[in-house]
Amino acid sequence: MMEEKLKFAVLGTGFWSDFQIKGWQEIEGVELVALCDPEGDKAEESAKRHGINRFYQDASALLENETLDFVDIISSIPSHAQLVRLAAKKGVHVICQKPMAEDFQTCKELVEVCQKAGVQFFIHENARFQLPIRACKDLIQNGEIGQPFKARLTFCSGFPVFENQPSLANLDQFIISDLGVHLLDTARFLFGEVEQIYCQTQKVNPKIKGEDVANILMRMQNGIDCFVEMSYASYLEKESFPQTLMLIEGDTGSMRLDHNHLLTLTQKGKGSSSWKVDPPVYAWADPDYALIHSSIVACNLNILSGLQGKGIGETSGADNLKTMELVFLSYDSAQHNQVMKPKHG
């Protein structure tokens, strides 16, 4: 007997939605039945591109008229909270793009709203699903470098991100909320929860509102010191966008994730070995974002397993709340020049 497909709608049809929809279309077990965007012509154009028959301008009307198992919210950050609440009220499971909301209190409320409504709540946090990062996690878990004690995660780029997503230039809080959320979640995925965090930020590009450089030092609960650096103002010898480069040191070895997904493992008494960890490439992926677009599919598969009750979705709202606390503590730390301690780790 064939399993019934889960029906869903996409709320928000901006730049990222095309790739998110294509990612869902790679997966069996789901059916996209409707799209919605406050700009009705955008919803209609997206529906035509993706072969979807129904589109809406008003999310309330969509939720009233469609029978859905879940919604995938791919809209602007300020709209997340309202749309999550609308879906939860209708008893529809929710997937929401990062960052979850504009402040930590709202993030907590959204998790609570979904819990009280009895609906599952996931954040589409895809960075931890990048194949090279999963490979590093496997090496750590297998004890290949012994006990890790220090790590560096780097995302420093001169990629013109504002050309594809001009709205990012108008964010009061930019690089930590847009990019840093990925790196902080990756650090949690690799090394566990955070004991304390310290951050400094800069704005190099005078044409944007928010910060475009941030340096974050964390002491993890297990004693690992993790330094996370990010920049969209770095013009370097080798452009690494959209890769996160990493160096992880343990008491019997180290691993380095370098440009073009090259992973090097060095072990005490054994020397070094290197190999490529290339992600799958999809025909619809933008070559500039191919690594990220491959992780969309993996993240969707993991969330779907949670929705179907076949597994545990890693990026639940409750789990992502810990990442969002680090995002807002980073801003507080930079503003007050103080070390901050998470309460929800």
Side-chain angles (χ1 to χ4, degrees):
M1 183 176 177
M2 184 175 291
E3 188 174 39
E4 190 172 343
K5 292 182 178 181
L6 298 186
K7 292 180 169 57
F8 75 102
V10 163
L11 309 183
T13 58
F15 169 75
W16 202 252
S17 66
D18 280 342
F19 306 110
Q20 186 80 358
I21 291 169
K22 289 293 187 182
W24 280 118
Q25 291 174 340
E26 294 286 341
I27 298 172
E28 295 182 357
V30 295
E31 180 184 356
L32 176 57
V33 298
L35 302 176
C36 181
D37 195 281
E39 298 180 38
D41 56 340
K42 287 177 63 176
E44 182 176 6
E45 290 166 6
S46 182
K48 289 178 181 178
R49 280 198 305 275
H50 297 290
I52 309 303
N53 293 326
R54 300 191 291 283
F55 55 90
Y56 294 80
Q57 189 168 356
D58 179 69
S60 296
L62 183 152
L63 288 164
E64 192 65 37
N65 293 328
E66 300 291 342
T67 300
L68 302 172
D69 294 293
F70 69 93
V71 294
D72 192 353
I73 297 170
I74 319 175
S75 59
S76 63
I77 301 167
S79 68
H80 286 179
Q82 178 191 6
L83 294 174
V84 171
R85 291 187 179 108
L86 272 174
K89 188 176 180 181
K90 292 293 290 184
V92 175
H93 300 308
V94 181
I95 303 170
C96 183
Q97 278 291 312
K98 60 79 192 170
M100 190 190 307
E102 294 180 289
D103 61 82
F104 189 62
Q105 184 59 38
T106 302
C107 291
K108 287 171 58 179
E109 289 172 359
L110 295 182
V111 172
E112 291 168 1
V113 162
C114 290
Q115 288 174 342
K116 290 178 180 177
V119 303
Q120 294 193 70
F121 181 31
F122 295 100
I123 303 302
H124 187 89
E125 175 48 72
N126 55 52
R128 63 165 67 193
F129 292 98
Q130 292 176 13
L131 204 59
I133 290 173
R134 304 300 275 202
C136 290
K137 176 73 169 183
D138 289 342
L139 291 175
I140 294 170
Q141 289 187 322
N142 292 338
E144 299 290 350
I145 62 170
Q147 177 59 48
F149 62 86
K150 184 161 74 76
R152 179 176 185 152
L153 279 61
T154 298
F155 194 117
C156 295
S157 170
F159 184 80
V161 67
F162 305 110
E163 290 182 8
N164 285 330
Q165 301 176 79
S167 62
L168 296 178
N170 298 317
L171 295 177
D172 292 324
Q173 296 178 330
F174 166 51
I175 201 166
I176 302 176
S177 67
D178 182 68
L179 171 64
V181 64
H182 286 317
L183 298 177
L184 293 168
D185 191 76
T186 297
R188 289 186 53 240
F189 170 67
L190 292 172
F191 311 120
E193 303 306 338
V194 175
E195 180 179 307
Q196 61 184 36
I197 186 169
Y198 178 72
C199 176
Q200 294 282 271
T201 63
Q202 298 180 60
K203 183 174 78 167
V204 176
N205 185 343
K207 297 180 180 180
I208 67 173
K209 292 182 68 175
E211 81 292 350
D212 54 2
V213 176
N215 295 294
I216 301 172
L217 180 61
M218 295 177 286
R219 168 61 61 93
M220 314 306 283
Q221 290 181 1
N222 55 16
I224 297 172
D225 287 327
C226 181
F227 176 56
V228 173
E229 59 178 343
M230 66 200 80
S231 167
Y232 271 122
S234 298
Y235 300 98
L236 306 174
E237 179 186 5
K238 291 183 179 180
E239 175 56 64
S240 58
F241 183 91
Q243 279 189 264
T244 299
L245 308 181
M246 298 195 294
L247 175 63
I248 304 170
E249 300 178 50
D251 58 10
T252 63
S254 65
M255 69 182 79
R256 188 178 74 250
L257 182 57
D258 214 332
H259 297 81
N260 300 317
H261 320 128
L262 182 65
L263 181 55
T264 298
L265 174 65
T266 300
Q267 295 174 299
K268 185 178 180 180
K270 297 181 180 180
S272 300
S273 57
S274 300
W275 63 97
K276 296 285 290 297
V277 187
D278 290 326
V281 177
Y282 297 98
W284 47 265
D286 183 329
D288 287 335
Y289 292 84
L291 173 65
I292 303 173
H293 290 167
S294 70
S295 70
I296 288 176
V297 180
C299 183
N300 286 354
L301 278 167
N302 179 258
I303 291 174
L304 179 60
S305 72
L307 290 170
Q308 293 174 327
K310 296 180 178 179
I312 298 174
E314 293 182 20
T315 57
S316 66
D319 182 84
N320 191 257
L321 192 62
K322 300 173 186 177
T323 296
M324 292 308 303
E325 183 178 27
L326 299 180
V327 168
F328 295 115
L329 285 180
S330 295
Y331 284 116
D332 289 345
S333 174
Q335 180 180 354
H336 301 291
N337 194 30
Q338 291 180 357
V339 174
M340 313 298 289
K341 291 183 178 292
K343 297 178 181 177
H344 296 82

